[in-house]
Amino acid sequence: MITDVVIAGGGPNGLMLACELSLAGVRPLVLERLPRPSEEPKANGLLGQVVRMLDHRGLCGPLSGSAEPPRPNSAYFMFGALGLDLSLLEHSPVHTLPVPQRRIEQVLEERAIELGVEIRRGHELTGLAQDGDAVTADVAGPDGTYQVRARYLVGADGAHSATRKLAGIGFPGVTYDRMTVRSAHATVPADWVDPATGALHVPGYGAVAPFMPHRTERGGFSYAPMPGHPPLVSTTEWDQPATAAAMSLEELRASVRRVLGVELPLGPPGGPGPHALRRLTGGNTRVAERFTDGRVFLIGDAAHVYAATGGGPGLNLGLQDAVNLGWKLAAEIRGSAPPGLLDTYEPERRAAARRMVLNAQAQAALIAPGSDVTGLREVFAELLRDPGAVRRLAELTTGADVRYDLGGGEAHPLTGRFAPDLDLRTPAGPVRLAELTRTARPLLLDLTDDASLSRALGHDQVDIVTARAEAPAPTALLLRPDCYVAWASASPRPGPAELEALRATLRRWFGVSEPART
Ligand SMILES: Cc1cc2nc3c(=O)[nH]c(=O)nc-3n(C[C@H](O)[C@H](O)[C@H](O)COP(=O)(O)OP(=O)(O)OC[C@H]3O[C@@H](n4cnc5c(N)ncnc54)[C@H](O)[C@@H]3O)c2cc1C
């Protein structure tokens, strides 16, 4: 029996892809090596465009526990431990959602199961071979080994991806092996914390703002008072490698002393541990040579990893890989994909990954030790008084500047970009654009005064919604299922040429030519 899609890896990105395929009518099989979810602490939250994307799938509420739509940060963010004053911007592009990775995985797993996905825990991909029709996967499960044949196999199996290695795909990039990060939940003297700002005032050193990485010429320091937990204290140092001894609070104290040059009396927190005492040496920024190999695809950490400072780009990129690939793969399997649709996955996501490499490497350079870096930082700090510079770095860090090359020099400025935030009035009442994309179907939004587009067009594979926008907006938008704008118009009444461009776009992405509505 041939399964449509096997996903190797039931981490966040594999589970997101499983949800997207299911929404598009394809039931994948997820193979997850671990018999039960890992307790290893990873991401503390989501940063960037991915928060808006999850809103477009109705997942922000379950993750944040709030019915309020996500709003951008309007205060400070950072780049290479330099403050970005977002209040200089009319519209901040920085969205954050502070949710631990374990919770993100739980929510996605629940959603996948609701949608009918089969998740086999304790089943590890150990081999693969492909022919013209399918991929044969070797699997080691609790009851022994077996094979599955699938039309496609997606490797969502993390940074050490077996899929990538079995497909013979290289993973070039850089390793930062001089760098060691130490962290622990620990108490700090209560009277050193400013109750108004949350800043930690270290005698002999000065104030350290909470959640903002802080650089000295000897290394980095951060103090994060996590709600409901003792503060998370971290250092980053160069050429201070690990010893054979287990990581301890005393090791962190000594590291803080080297970085800040003064004593910070860290105490063991009360309550049950573990208190996440961690020492990580080295980090990698790497991008796979190819994201596809015949019928095999890579997403998430299997395709790219970042030695990140500041907000982690991992899930911002990986979850959007899943959403980019899901609808294209489903259309191919259903037989409705126009020629070449699946080939657009790699160039679109590789361009986004390259921007994140630039982001990670530039930030790594700005936090490195040494007085020459201090000079570079002073120049950067001057540039960051300019709102234009703040905007560019905020957009780079969050991926808000991603614009897919969807063709046409004459295209509307929104073409290729993620859907704008729009508050709409429809015959059925007020609605946010993000609420119209929960089904992951292509959407034509007709905002013309006389609903001329929806009268001129009908399309069985595209939802058409007629509405009025609450604020200045384009007059029409065609959204792909991943919520990127495939076509947009600014004309109050799109003429024959624009209608023809819209029809060509419908053919390009959704294959069938549209029947005229009677
Ligand atoms: C300490 C730390 C902090 C981080 N902080 C952030 C942050 O704040 N924000 C952010 O966005 N990102 C952060 N990241 C990165 C983020 O955790 C990763 O980008 C994310 O986990 C990648 O998800 P994934 O699904 O691609 O891979 P993974 O999460 O690695 O999941 C892969 C899954 O595949 C399974 N698997 C592996 N091999 C096989 C096999 N052969 N067969 C079957 N299953 C297999 C694994 O068991 C695992 O469950 C952090 C990472 C770390 C380590």
Side-chain angles (χ1 to χ4, degrees), residues 7-15 31-34 40-47 101 105 121 123-126 156-163 278 280 299-302 304 310-316 318:
I7 301 173
N13 296 325
L15 292 169
L31 302 173
E32 168 52 54
R33 178 175 63 181
L34 298 177
E40 185 196 347
K42 284 190 174 176
N44 287 316
L46 296 166
L47 163 70
Q101 183 159 334
E105 290 172 8
R121 285 203 160 272
H123 293 245
E124 178 175 1
L125 174 81
T126 56
D157 44 358
H160 303 284
S161 172
T163 309
R278 195 163 51 206
L280 283 177
I299 64 168
D301 278 17
H304 38 68
L315 290 167
N316 189 15

Side-chain angles (χ1 to χ4, degrees), residues 175-199:
T175 295
Y176 297 92
D177 49 8
R178 291 174 53 206
M179 194 170 79
T180 301
V181 177
R182 295 176 171 87
S183 56
H185 287 291
T187 60
V188 294
D191 56 347
W192 290 18
V193 178
D194 180 339
T197 61

Side-chain angles (χ1 to χ4, degrees), residues 411-498:
H412 188 282
L414 284 174
T415 306
R417 294 196 179 276
F418 195 80
D421 271 329
L422 291 180
D423 288 317
L424 304 169
R425 272 176 293 125
T426 67
V431 70
R432 293 185 304 122
L433 177 54
E435 295 171 285
L436 296 176
T437 57
R438 305 269 154 99
T439 53
R441 279 176 55 81
L443 173 71
L444 177 64
L445 184 63
D446 182 354
L447 301 173
T448 54
D449 290 342
D450 57 357
S452 51
L453 278 178
S454 45
R455 282 191 284 109
L457 290 170
H459 200 296
D460 57 359
Q461 292 203 22
V462 177
D463 290 345
I464 303 180
V465 172
T466 307
R468 291 295 172 93
E470 296 290 347
T475 51
L477 279 180
L478 176 65
L479 296 187
R480 305 190 317 187
D482 58 0
C483 304
Y484 277 77
V485 177
W487 175 89
S489 169
S491 315
R493 286 201 187 137
E498 281 203 288

Side-chain angles (χ1 to χ4, degrees), residues 56-397:
H56 281 253
R57 288 295 186 264
L59 285 162
C60 278
L63 287 170
S64 67
S66 159
E68 281 297 301
R71 300 272 174 233
N73 287 10
S74 53
Y76 271 87
F77 200 65
M78 68 259 158
F79 185 86
L82 286 164
L84 295 182
D85 183 357
L86 299 174
S87 70
L88 294 174
L89 308 181
E90 196 183 342
H91 300 289
S92 160
V94 179
H95 286 76
T96 53
L97 195 59
V99 187
Q101 183 159 334
R102 180 67 206 103
R103 177 69 191 143
I104 297 169
E105 290 172 8
Q106 248 171 14
V107 167
L108 292 174
E109 183 166 343
E110 281 163 20
R111 174 67 60 96
I113 290 169
E114 259 169 44
L115 291 167
V117 174
E118 181 184 353
I119 302 172
R120 291 189 193 164
R121 285 203 160 272
H123 293 245
E124 178 175 1
L125 174 81
T126 56
L128 68 84
Q130 7 182 356
D131 52 43
D133 301 322
V135 185
T136 304
D138 298 324
V139 185
D143 302 321
T145 58
Y146 63 98
Q147 289 189 323
V148 191
R149 260 176 86 70
R151 292 177 66 189
Y152 295 94
L153 185 141
V154 181
D157 44 358
H160 303 284
S161 172
T163 309
R164 190 184 63 232
K165 291 173 192 163
L166 291 165
I169 299 174
F171 203 31
V174 292
T175 295
Y176 297 92
D177 49 8
R178 291 174 53 206
M179 194 170 79
T180 301
V181 177
R182 295 176 171 87
S183 56
H185 287 291
T187 60
V188 294
D191 56 347
W192 290 18
V193 178
D194 180 339
T197 61
L200 178 68
H201 288 269
V202 184
Y205 182 76
V208 177
F211 300 107
M212 301 286 284
H214 197 80
R215 175 201 174 262
T216 74
E217 286 192 5
R218 297 167 299 280
F221 172 80
S222 73
Y223 161 74
M226 311 293 289
H229 295 280
L232 185 66
V233 176
S234 307
T235 60
T236 305
E237 289 182 277
W238 281 257
D239 302 324
Q240 292 289 344
T243 61
M247 171 67 185
S248 67
L249 208 51
E250 182 43 45
E251 184 176 327
L252 183 62
R253 276 190 213 110
S255 175
V256 174
R257 200 180 304 128
R258 286 192 295 271
V259 171
L260 297 184
V262 294
E263 202 66 43
L264 173 61
L266 297 172
H275 298 299
L277 287 167
R278 195 163 51 206
R279 183 206 291 131
L280 283 177
T281 297
N284 288 288
T285 295
R286 295 176 179 275
V287 178
E289 275 168 358
R290 283 167 285 138
F291 291 3
T292 67
D293 182 75
R295 293 178 169 272
V296 174
F297 291 79
L298 300 177
I299 64 168
D301 278 17
H304 38 68
V305 291
Y306 307 90
T309 63
L315 290 167
N316 189 15
L317 227 35
L319 291 168
Q320 293 194 78
D321 290 348
V323 175
N324 187 291
L325 181 60
W327 68 279
K328 296 173 182 173
L329 200 50
E332 190 70 31
I333 287 165
R334 290 194 319 255
S336 62
L341 179 67
L342 213 39
D343 297 338
T344 63
Y345 167 67
E346 165 132 13
E348 289 182 359
R349 296 313 295 161
R350 179 172 289 283
R354 276 193 198 286
R355 289 295 287 170
M356 279 304 159
V357 168
L358 193 65
N359 169 40
Q361 292 198 306
Q363 295 205 48
L366 281 169
I367 59 157
S371 59
D372 48 351
V373 176
T374 305
L376 177 68
R377 292 174 65 82
E378 279 174 27
V379 172
F380 250 77
E382 277 181 27
L383 295 175
L384 289 177
R385 288 186 213 131
D386 173 358
V390 172
R391 165 161 293 285
R392 289 181 82 133
L393 291 186
E395 288 183 347
L396 173 66
T397 312

